[in-house]
Amino acid sequence: LGGLRPCQRLERSADHGAFATVPPLFADDASCSVFTATPLRRALSIAIEDGTITHAAIANGAEVVAVLGADGDLSRRVLVRSKGGDVHPAEAPLQAWIDAAVADGQTVANVAVSPDGALLALGCHGLVALFDVASGDLIEALDTEGALVSSMRFTPKGERLVVGDFAGFVSAIRTKRPRVLFTERAGFDVVLDLAIAPKGDRVALVTKADGLVLFDLKKKRETLASHGPRGPVTSSAGEGAQPIGETAAGETWRWSVETGQPTRLEPAPEAAPLDLAGVPADSIVEVARSRDGESLAVLLDDGRTLVVTGERGAEPVEIPPPPQDGEDPPWPADVLLSGGEIVIV
């Protein structure tokens, strides 16, 4: 695509037809890039002048895009790209509500747009406000009885808004004749992110303390939880029904959506230890390990390489420096182990 800049997260529409990048906080270029998936192209870029963008939300087809951020004086701002139009500040009633809420001590922390682009939601501390995108008028401000909103998404058909907060609670809000259907605990720490099943009946929550939690919106309760990993989940990815999460303790776990049970993925075998007695620590230039964990090579600054292969405690084999060409010996920079060969750079 070209011209891409670092981003802290990727937001996508419910139909997966469009997505938007959210830049890192206080990035030099605080712009949100919006792409269509078919064909894959950059549709537009949204920036808050002299400010930063914290969240973005996108409707199906990228017909409506909203970004939440702050300008130079840290006043909260929402920019909206309406259907078939240009990017512009949120309609006056919506921005006036934000200004009044912030002046009253409220925190506007998150934004979501319904799949059809008709509704815009703002997540605050124990409060979610629904607005009409076209007019900016407030439809309803709803008390979730929870904490500061950390993540929220509309269901694929837009009939509900699912909200996660910093206290581990999940709330479901009906969007037609809006009201809070329930607020239930789904973990014991921050809901970092959430994803909703295509039928809109289940939600997967990534929580800081409890890993992956599956929550049934109809039964209003946690159905499957993976409490096996120790430490917070720092990233999540995977294919199909096998989400993968890496914990802060350096462990990697795979969850089954069918059973909810976590399986710890075993790390690569430990390399055999090297006895480096008599080798100054500051003389070690680089260390390499083979993919199977059976061999370890240590490159020294005099060009020699010490290699251990096979069982633990085996004596290291010394490989002499490469042939000298000229008065000065070659300066070693790197060592690689590949397919039974040792490459010294």
Side-chain angles (χ1 to χ4, degrees), residues 238-256:
E239 297 181 0
Q242 300 293 323
I244 296 176
E246 181 179 347
T247 70
E251 299 170 335
T252 303
W253 293 75
R254 184 191 302 274
W255 289 273
S256 166

Side-chain angles (χ1 to χ4, degrees), residues 5 27 56 98 123-124 140 145 170 183 239 331 335 337:
R5 296 175 174 84
I98 293 176
C124 307
E140 195 75 48
E145 300 181 358
V170 61
T183 296
E239 297 181 0
W331 182 263
V335 62
L337 288 173

Side-chain angles (χ1 to χ4, degrees), residues 24 29 67 191-192 238 252 295 322:
D29 182 8
V67 299
V191 176
L192 298 173
T252 303
S295 301

